[in-house]
Amino acid sequence: MELEARMSATARHKRPRVTRYSKFAVGAAAAGTMVLVPSIAKADPQPTVDQVKTQLDKLYEQAADANEAYNAAKDAEGKLQQQVDGINRQMSAEQAVMAQTRTQLGGLAAAQYRNDGIDPTLQLMMQADPSTMLAMSATVGRISENTSETLRTLAQEKADLAAKAKEAADKMALLDRNTKDAEAKKKQFEGDVAKAQALLDSLQAKQRAALEAERAKEQQAAVAAAQAAAARQASSSSSSSSGSSGSSSKSSGSGSGSSLSIPPVSGRAAAVVAFARSQLGKPYIFGATGPGGYDCSGLTQAAWRAGGVSIPRTATAQMQGLHAIPASSAQAGDLVFFYGDSSYVNHVGLYIGNGLVIHAPRPGSTVSVAAVSTMPVVSYARPA
């Protein structure tokens, strides 16, 4: 009994103080919560409309870069696919020729087999008739010559086919890389657009309305200023031409809601400008060339296609591949390139006169009219 009493006392002595420790932990947690609550309750400051506008412009320019890179990758992908298809057609044709060559060799082999494998020279010596001997000699000579030539032809055809197979494999590998690069650029574009949308969503309804109103006001003012400047220049150039303004066409689908005075256009450019005007209001769509929507270079390419002229796909390729002109010589139908330098641009619009362009601006917008002065101009070019 005494031993049991000592063991019981020892057990009580070693038992952890759960209750006191738990109270301390709860108290510490509560104290920590009291410290953290003020920092959780403190919200990030709401961005101003000007701050959002600056960030949006940056995100949209990044998206334009991604769109230009995507178009370049897809364009290269299409050209490579055409080359691969051409090589495959050549390989099919060469395989058919090789089959014919093998058939010829098979005929020669069968002829030798029918001769029981006797050496042609011995067969000649066994002929009693000299005329028969001479005839066989000529035949054997031709067979030997044809066999050697056919074998050389087959070897060359095999080498050519192997070279084309390697070329096709190399181009297919490059095609695969371009496809993956295009998909990466598409994801980058979608990420930039998603960030821009999240930024817009962070604004209150009144702030979003104020931002859109400010953008619209800026565009309207720039378009009006461009038209006024064009009118002053026209009136000062010659008094005799002042009455020709009545022949200018009007458009209420400017994208800014104002009526536009467009100089008359003739020749091939008339069809180009008419097409572009008919697309006003259609949405900007990533990598699109119509008819439901466009990106910037997709619109200019489609417009000039309507005029019967094929131009490159991307804005940079259009700038580098077309005839450059000075700004002072710009006419309706010319292309105006923005945002970049002489080696790269990420935006293009179609000049319609009076300092205005029709363009597909950015994600979330529609094909509209804008003043050239609202964007940093790099250069002008004339497709035809």
Side-chain angles (χ1 to χ4, degrees):
M1 293 293 292
E2 183 178 355
L3 177 60
E4 291 178 357
R6 285 201 300 270
M7 291 177 65
S8 176
T10 302
R12 286 196 302 271
H13 178 72
K14 292 183 177 180
R15 185 178 300 149
R17 299 177 180 180
V18 176
T19 304
R20 293 181 64 187
Y21 179 80
S22 299
K23 286 181 180 179
F24 175 80
V26 171
T33 302
M34 291 176 66
V35 173
L36 293 174
V37 165
S39 62
I40 293 175
K42 186 178 180 180
D44 293 333
Q46 183 76 14
T48 66
V49 172
D50 287 341
Q51 289 173 334
V52 169
K53 184 179 177 183
T54 300
Q55 293 179 54
L56 281 175
D57 289 342
K58 182 178 180 180
L59 286 169
Y60 286 138
E61 185 167 356
Q62 290 174 187
D65 287 334
N67 185 62
E68 177 73 3
Y70 172 84
N71 287 338
K74 293 297 288 185
D75 188 49
E77 181 183 339
K79 291 176 180 176
L80 277 171
Q81 187 63 62
Q82 290 178 353
Q83 293 174 16
V84 169
D85 292 342
I87 293 172
N88 287 335
R89 286 192 295 270
Q90 292 175 5
M91 289 174 64
S92 297
E94 290 194 7
Q95 285 171 340
V97 172
M98 283 180 63
Q100 293 178 353
T101 305
R102 286 194 177 99
T103 300
Q104 293 175 7
L105 284 172
L108 294 172
Q112 290 182 359
Y113 178 79
R114 285 193 298 271
N115 290 331
D116 295 326
I118 300 175
D119 185 78
T121 304
L122 181 59
Q123 292 184 44
L124 286 172
M125 293 177 65
M126 293 171 62
Q127 300 300 318
D129 185 358
S131 61
T132 303
M133 180 184 294
L134 290 174
M136 285 193 66
S137 176
T139 300
V140 170
R142 287 194 299 270
I143 290 175
S144 299
E145 183 180 348
N146 289 340
T147 302
S148 299
E149 181 61 31
T150 304
L151 286 171
R152 284 194 296 271
T153 300
L154 183 61
Q156 185 60 51
E157 288 169 354
K158 285 183 176 181
D160 291 344
L161 190 61
K164 282 186 169 54
K166 183 180 184 305
E167 183 183 1
D170 291 343
K171 289 187 181 298
M172 285 296 291
L174 182 57
L175 179 61
D176 183 61
R177 290 196 295 272
N178 280 346
T179 301
K180 290 179 179 178
D181 184 50
E183 290 302 317
K185 297 305 180 185
K186 184 177 181 181
K187 288 182 180 179
Q188 179 186 338
F189 174 89
E190 290 170 347
D192 290 332
V193 173
K195 290 176 185 177
Q197 188 58 51
L199 193 58
L200 282 172
D201 292 342
S202 71
L203 296 176
Q204 297 176 357
K206 287 184 178 180
Q207 288 178 310
R208 286 198 297 271
L211 179 60
E212 291 302 321
E214 183 179 352
R215 287 187 181 276
K217 184 178 180 181
E218 289 176 352
Q219 284 294 331
Q220 290 173 1
V223 169
Q227 290 193 281
R232 288 194 299 271
Q233 183 178 4
S235 62
S236 63
S237 61
S238 70
S239 58
S240 61
S241 62
S242 61
S244 64
S245 60
S247 61
S248 299
S249 60
K250 298 284 183 177
S251 171
S252 60
S254 66
S256 62
S258 61
S259 179
L260 293 173
S261 177
I262 306 298
V265 187
S266 60
R268 182 173 284 166
V272 175
V273 173
F275 176 89
R277 289 179 59 191
S278 69
Q279 307 308 304
L280 289 170
K282 290 189 177 182
Y284 176 101
I285 299 178
F286 173 78
T289 57
Y294 301 89
D295 63 14
C296 64
S297 57
L299 175 64
T300 53
Q301 184 186 50
W304 269 100
R305 187 185 300 118
V309 177
S310 176
I311 65 175
R313 172 64 182 94
T314 69
T316 299
Q318 289 175 7
M319 176 184 68
Q320 295 178 342
L322 302 177
H323 177 64
I325 59 170
S328 57
S329 300
Q331 299 175 2
D334 292 340
L335 302 185
V336 191
F337 302 98
F338 306 93
Y339 299 104
D341 52 38
S342 59
S343 62
Y344 170 83
V345 290
N346 67 19
H347 192 61
V348 59
L350 184 76
Y351 190 66
I352 57 174
N354 288 355
L356 306 175
V357 291
I358 293 177
H359 70 151
R362 55 177 174 76
S365 66
T366 60
V367 177
S368 57
V369 174
V372 173
S373 61
T374 59
M375 296 171 283
V377 177
V378 175
S379 62
Y380 290 73
R382 182 167 298 157

